[in-house]
């Protein structure tokens, strides 16, 4: 007879899931958003929270009713697409973007403020190399034992950084630096849509696809029975996204209240450091450095372990441990290109992946409305992928100006970065039409809870 989940188990597993999402890399976006959005901060954050937080819960729920893994979800398009999408997703969430971004952000906030002027002027690249070697080594070492994740992360690391972060947030709330100033740039007229697309860069929706398997494995190692998995996954997901939303709103408020004094910082790491230094002095900077280091480490571990687990399944000739080491070393190399370069090169990839991911999530929830027809999945995902590719080209200035102008004039929502919604909808409807008229359309999928 299966035993119910204890509150202690639920809390430990929920902290574990939350800590995977709250990484050093994804708390650097809300503060500069607040600085730029000013009095429009809460409008911008309503868009930001949809893609950066709300869709995380929907992604978790979508996984829970589509088999529990991103391969099964994306496999509704086709087996070949599942391999392509999964590999690109896992590599982005691992060694190509998230792990290097996390290491670089941790370095910017936990090391740079404490370096002497001589080192900053002459040896910054060497300092980054030394730090990244130590950080990636720690990530590799702690990723080698998945059965210990909940004990190490959920029970120990997460409570520590939460207490420190809460202290910083409370000081900022009760003693704000200044008043919100007028919005600037796109936040003047397009605050919601700008916040919506900025939420992409947290990577949390994509991370939900990757972290799902790791969380379910951790729950299994903790003794959770299969019949309780779906309920636990969703409840822990709700816990995680509520906590994420509160933290992101607090960070945006900190940024908005600081702009009248500090101006707009060049990046979120600089913004956080300057805000905390002004509020709490050197002690605050040390506290922030500790929070960033611990959150960065937990996310890097989760990402590296998730990607290694995936590749050890599809390429079993190499063990999980070997994949952890190889992917960790690749992360080390990319980290040393620096944070600005990492963010620049990742942007078009995210603009391509996010529309596909959101489309898959929506299709799972409306699956019964179109009878689970494969043709609908194919049509909608093709539409989202085409527009994601176009938006990626536009982001790196490779889209012909004439095409960009035509799309701006004739495609609804394109100017706001949301044109893919229209094209994905059209593709899905076309797939449905073809399926009904020609009595074909591939397989039919039925949602089924995991467990």
């Amino acid at each position: 007879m299966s035993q119910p989940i204890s509150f202690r188990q639920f809390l430990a597993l929920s902290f574990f899931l939350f800590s995977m999402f709250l990484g050093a890399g994804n708390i650097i976006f809300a503060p500069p958003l607040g600085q730029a959005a000013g009095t429009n901060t809460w409008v911008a954050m309503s868009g930001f929270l949809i893609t950066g937080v709300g869709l995380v819960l929907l992604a978790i729920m979508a996984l829970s009713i589509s088999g529990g893994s991103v391969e099964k979800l994306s496999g509704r398009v086709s087996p070949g697409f599942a391999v392509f999408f999964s590999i690109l997703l896992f590599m982005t969430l691992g060694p190509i973007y998230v792990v290097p971004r996390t290491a670089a952000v941790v370095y910017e906030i936990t090391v740079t403020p404490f370096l002497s002027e001589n080192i900053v002027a002459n040896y910054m690249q060497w300092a980054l190399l030394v730090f990244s070697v130590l950080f990636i080594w720690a990530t590799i070492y702690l990723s080698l034992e998945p059965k210990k994740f909940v004990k190490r992360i959920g029970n120990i690391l997460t409570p520590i950084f939460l207490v420190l972060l809460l202290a910083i947030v409370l000081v900022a709330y009760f003693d704000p630096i200044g008043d919100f100033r007028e919005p600037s740039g796109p936040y003047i007229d397009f605050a919601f849509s700008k916040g919506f697309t900025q939420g992409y860069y947290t990577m949390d929706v994509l991370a939900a696809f990757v972290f799902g398997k790791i969380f379910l494995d951790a729950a299994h190692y903790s003794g959770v029975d299969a019949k309780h998995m779906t309920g636990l996954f969703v409840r822990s997901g709700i816990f995680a996204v509520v906590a994420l939303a509160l933290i992101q709103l607090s960070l945006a408020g900190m940024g908005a209240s600081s702009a009248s004094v500090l101006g707009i910082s060049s990046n979120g790491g600089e913004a956080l450091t300057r805000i905390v230094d002004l509020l709490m002095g050197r002690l605050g900077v040390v506290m922030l450095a500790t929070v960033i280091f611990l959150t960065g480490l937990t996310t890097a571990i989760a990402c590296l372990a998730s990607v290694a687990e995936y590749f050890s399944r599809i390429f079993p000739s190499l063990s999980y441990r070997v994949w952890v080491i190889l992917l960790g070393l690749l992360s080390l190399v990319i980290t040393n290109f620096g944070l600005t370069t990492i963010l620049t090169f990742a942007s078009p990839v995210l603009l391509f992946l996010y529309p596909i991911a959101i489309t898959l999530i929506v299709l799972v929830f409306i699956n019964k409305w179109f009878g689970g027809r494969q043709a609908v999945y194919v049509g909608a995902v093709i539409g989202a992928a085409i527009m994601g590719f176009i938006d990626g080209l536009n982001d790196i200035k490779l889209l012909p100006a004439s095409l960009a102008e035509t799309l701006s004039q004739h495609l609804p929502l394109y100017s706001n970065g949301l044109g893919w919604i229209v094209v994905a909808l059209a593709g899905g409807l076309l797939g449905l039409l073809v399926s009904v008229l020609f009595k074909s359309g591939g397989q039919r999928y039925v949602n089924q809870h995991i467990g």
Side-chain angles (χ1 to χ4, degrees), residues 301-364:
I301 292 167
C303 289
L304 190 60
S306 299
V307 181
E309 188 277 334
Y310 172 72
F311 278 102
S312 67
R313 279 191 287 113
I314 63 171
F315 301 112
S317 57
L318 296 179
S319 69
Y320 167 82
R321 285 174 165 251
V322 172
W323 277 113
V324 166
I325 295 170
L326 291 177
L327 295 167
L329 292 176
L330 178 58
S331 302
L332 175 63
V333 172
I334 296 177
T335 299
N336 282 274
F337 283 98
L339 180 59
T340 301
T341 301
I342 293 169
L343 293 175
T344 300
F345 280 97
S347 183
V349 178
L350 299 183
L351 290 171
F352 175 72
L353 285 174
Y354 250 90
I356 296 174
I358 296 173
T359 299
L360 287 171
I361 292 170
V362 172
L363 289 175
V364 167

Side-chain angles (χ1 to χ4, degrees), residues 16-294:
F16 173 59
L17 184 62
F18 165 71
S19 67
M20 288 193 289
F21 287 117
L22 186 69
N26 70 8
I27 64 175
I28 64 171
F29 299 107
L33 179 152
Q35 289 181 334
T39 54
N40 282 342
T41 291
W42 307 128
V43 176
M45 283 303 294
S46 64
F48 182 92
L49 291 180
I50 290 174
T51 48
V53 178
L55 284 176
V56 175
L57 179 59
L58 295 184
I60 290 171
M61 295 174 68
L63 284 179
S64 73
I65 60 177
S66 63
S69 69
V70 65
E71 303 100 290
K72 292 181 179 179
L73 175 55
S74 56
R76 295 188 177 194
V77 179
S78 74
F81 174 78
V83 173
F84 164 76
F85 181 72
S86 298
I87 289 178
L88 182 58
L89 177 65
F90 276 98
M91 289 300 288
T92 304
L93 265 293
I96 290 180
Y97 178 52
V98 173
V99 175
R101 181 193 73 176
T102 300
V105 169
V106 173
Y107 169 76
E108 291 275 352
I109 299 179
T110 67
V111 176
T112 301
F114 303 100
L115 296 178
S116 67
E117 293 183 3
N118 179 54
I119 293 177
V120 170
N122 301 302
Y123 303 103
M124 280 291 286
Q125 194 62 43
W126 288 106
L128 174 60
L129 176 61
V130 172
F131 171 81
S132 62
V133 167
L134 295 174
F135 184 84
I136 297 298
W137 174 84
T139 301
I140 291 173
Y141 174 76
L142 293 172
S143 299
L144 294 175
E145 297 290 344
K147 293 183 179 180
K148 297 181 180 179
F149 283 170
V150 175
K151 181 179 179 181
R152 288 172 171 172
I153 298 176
N155 290 339
I156 300 173
L157 298 182
T158 306
I160 293 173
F161 75 65
L162 269 181
V163 169
L164 294 174
L165 185 58
L166 181 61
I168 293 171
V169 167
L170 288 176
V171 169
Y173 178 78
F174 288 108
D175 186 23
I177 294 174
D179 297 325
F180 290 18
R181 69 178 196 178
E182 290 300 308
S184 61
Y187 291 102
I188 298 173
D189 298 314
F190 303 105
F192 177 84
S193 59
K194 181 63 175 178
F196 188 94
T197 54
Q198 281 297 107
Y200 290 177
Y201 296 94
T202 68
M203 291 287 290
D204 282 343
V205 171
L206 302 181
F209 287 150
V210 172
F211 293 159
K213 183 68 166 58
I214 291 295
F215 176 82
L216 295 173
D217 287 345
H220 173 72
Y221 294 142
S222 298
V224 177
D225 189 84
K227 67 181 292 186
H228 297 300
M229 283 293 185
T230 297
L232 172 66
F233 198 17
V234 173
R235 292 200 308 275
S236 294
I238 293 172
F239 177 96
V241 299
V242 169
L244 281 171
L246 292 174
I247 287 172
Q248 295 288 15
L249 285 169
S250 300
L251 292 171
M254 289 169 61
S257 66
S258 72
S260 59
V261 176
L262 299 176
I264 299 176
S265 303
S266 59
N267 60 66
E270 177 188 317
L272 272 175
T273 302
R274 294 180 68 197
I275 291 168
V276 173
D277 187 29
L278 193 59
L279 285 169
M280 304 174 67
R282 209 59 174 172
L283 174 61
V285 175
V286 172
M287 291 171 63
L288 177 65
T290 305
V291 169
I292 294 299
F293 180 82
L294 292 178

